[in-house]
Each structure stands twice: as C-alpha cells, then as structure tokens.
Amino acid sequence: VPEQILRDTTMRLAKLRGFCDRHPMYKSSPHIIGDTTTLLREFAIPFELVESELSIVHAIEVNPRRNDIDNIWTKIIRKASQRATDTGSIQPIADIILESAQKFYPHDLRVFPLQTIVRLVATYLIDNRINEPYFITRILRQANVAYGDLFNTYHQLYSNRAEPFNNSQPGGGMELLLSELAYVLNQWIKSADERIHGYISEYLTTVSHFAFRQDLAHEFLEIQRKLEAFSANMFE
C-alpha cells in the first residue's frame, strides 16, 4: 500500500535525525505526511538513501517525471557498482535489482523502468570489461520479469540505439544487447514449448475421455508434430 510504504520509509529516515516523535510531519494526519520535495530534501538526499528516494516517489507521486526516476536509478546503480568494485563481485548490482523488483514489479513500472535499468547495468559491464554472459537477463528473470517484457525492452533499446547500444564495435553495447536478445528468445521459446506440449497432452486426454470427434484429436496431434519438428530444428 503506497501510504504504508511512505509511512515506513519516512519513519525510518526520520529516526536517523533523532526527532521522529517531535517532527511536525508526524503530528499531522498520515494523509498529509508531506510532499515529495520535503521528504527528498530533508531525509533521503542528505543521507544518500537512494533506494528510499524511489520508495518515496512510488508512494506519493501520481505521475513522476521520467527524468527524475532515471536520475534516481543512476544513483542506485552507481552506489551498487561501488560496492561491486569494493567486493570484487557484481552481486550487489543483482541484489538491488532483485530487491526493487520485489517492491515494484510488475505493479509500478514507473519506478522500475526496465530500459533504464538495462542500459545502466550494460554500461557498467562494458566499462569494467566484465564478461558475464546473459547477466542482465538472468538477474531480471530471477526477479520474475516476464519474457515478453524483457523482449520488448531489448527490442526497443535495439531500435532506439541509445548509449551504450549505439556502439557497434566488437565487445560493445550492440553486441551485448544482441547476446541478451538471443538468450531471452531461446529461453522464451523453450519455456513456451514445454508448456504447450503439456497443454496439448491435456487437450488430447479430454478429447479421448469425452469421445469427441477424431478429427479434433488429429488436429492437436498435427500441432504437436509441428512443434516437435520446430524444436528439433531450433535447438539441435
């Protein structure tokens, strides 16, 4: 619930200043806790709590500006990147994406902008020459981002050729993006293929159980044959 997220976030931020009980913001009704500018200026920004900036915007703003969200995510990935550098592992980047996805995906894509996240992570991987095949897709799939959303995001980035995907040199952004695209398409097809085979078996059982017309069974069997032929050619 946005109001609860706002109350929890602002309470946690205010405690850092030691005046939670006496701050006038908390003496008022929960419905008038304060505006976004006040919360960001007095709490989140001074303490560099960039993840809380995102929660505040999610809780209050009806139509947040895309530039504001992109700027917050830039700070989030930069902070995670510094931890990644300090620890010698890219896990901090994965962790913050997973944590944010649990809060905001799929119900609030305003504050979980897939194109921005993919672009920022790709830039980090390229700039630091990190060879982690399919890292972006694997993390976003762990976050339960749908294959369709991933494909649409990658294809839009491919079409727009925004930085870093405007670099067509070997090892550059375009090669990385196409690698992620190929991976997500393969995984998506495999996933759909397995589900469809299961569905067809269920449909055939129903046709047989109720003694429906045989041409219906033959139609499903033909679909199954075509799928098997397609899979054999696709994944051989």
Side-chain angles (χ1 to χ4, degrees):
V1 179
E3 290 81 2
Q4 185 62 47
I5 293 174
L6 174 58
R7 286 196 292 272
D8 292 345
T9 300
T10 52
M11 187 71 72
R12 180 159 54 89
L13 294 172
K15 284 180 179 178
L16 292 173
R17 296 275 294 270
F19 55 77
C20 179
D21 293 333
R22 52 192 172 83
H23 196 286
M25 187 175 294
Y26 296 97
K27 295 179 181 179
S28 59
S29 165
H31 298 290
I32 51 174
I33 289 178
D35 60 34
T36 311
T37 302
T38 300
L39 291 169
L40 294 176
R41 185 181 65 248
E42 294 192 10
F43 297 103
I45 294 175
F47 294 101
E48 298 182 353
L49 300 173
V50 289
E51 296 88 347
S52 294
E53 289 185 48
L54 207 59
S55 293
I56 291 169
V57 173
H58 164 74
I60 300 178
E61 291 285 359
V62 176
N63 294 304
R65 292 185 300 179
R66 179 60 183 270
N67 283 345
D68 291 341
I69 299 300
D70 286 355
N71 289 337
I72 292 173
W73 267 103
T74 298
K75 290 187 287 185
I76 288 173
I77 297 299
R78 184 186 301 130
K79 184 177 179 180
S81 298
Q82 185 58 56
R83 290 198 298 268
T85 300
D86 293 342
T87 61
S89 167
I90 56 176
Q91 190 59 40
I93 296 175
D95 290 342
I96 190 58
I97 292 174
L98 291 170
E99 179 184 335
S100 298
Q102 288 177 349
K103 294 178 182 177
F104 307 123
Y105 180 86
H107 57 279
D108 195 352
L109 294 179
R110 303 170 311 157
V111 294
F112 195 74
L114 286 168
Q115 287 192 46
T116 299
I117 294 168
V118 170
R119 181 175 53 78
L120 291 170
V121 175
T123 298
Y124 173 79
L125 295 174
I126 293 167
D127 288 349
N128 291 274
R129 299 183 179 182
I130 296 174
N131 183 22
E132 283 284 342
Y134 322 125
F135 173 76
I136 298 173
T137 300
R138 288 188 285 109
I139 293 305
L140 290 173
R141 281 298 297 155
Q142 285 183 41
N144 293 317
V145 175
Y147 283 119
D149 286 342
L150 287 175
F151 172 75
N152 288 333
T153 298
Y154 294 162
H155 183 71
Q156 288 168 1
L157 290 169
Y158 171 82
S159 299
N160 296 337
R161 308 292 173 96
E163 192 175 357
F165 306 118
N166 56 350
N167 180 357
S168 57
Q169 296 296 317
M174 180 54 67
E175 185 176 38
L176 184 150
L177 180 61
L178 288 174
S179 176
E180 297 285 349
L181 256 170
Y183 181 74
V184 78
L185 284 171
N186 266 308
Q187 296 301 309
W188 193 9
I189 291 171
K190 286 181 180 178
S191 174
D193 184 62
E194 291 170 0
R195 291 201 310 273
I196 292 171
H197 274 295
Y199 294 153
I200 289 175
S201 296
E202 183 179 342
Y203 302 153
L204 285 169
T205 300
T206 301
V207 170
S208 174
H209 178 76
F210 292 104
F212 292 151
R213 65 181 196 274
Q214 282 302 301
D215 64 314
L216 190 56
H218 290 317
E219 192 170 349
F220 279 118
L221 287 169
E222 180 63 14
I223 293 170
Q224 190 173 57
R225 185 192 66 78
K226 290 178 180 178
L227 279 172
E228 289 171 351
F230 175 79
S231 297
N233 292 328
M234 186 71 184
F235 305 118
E236 63 182 4

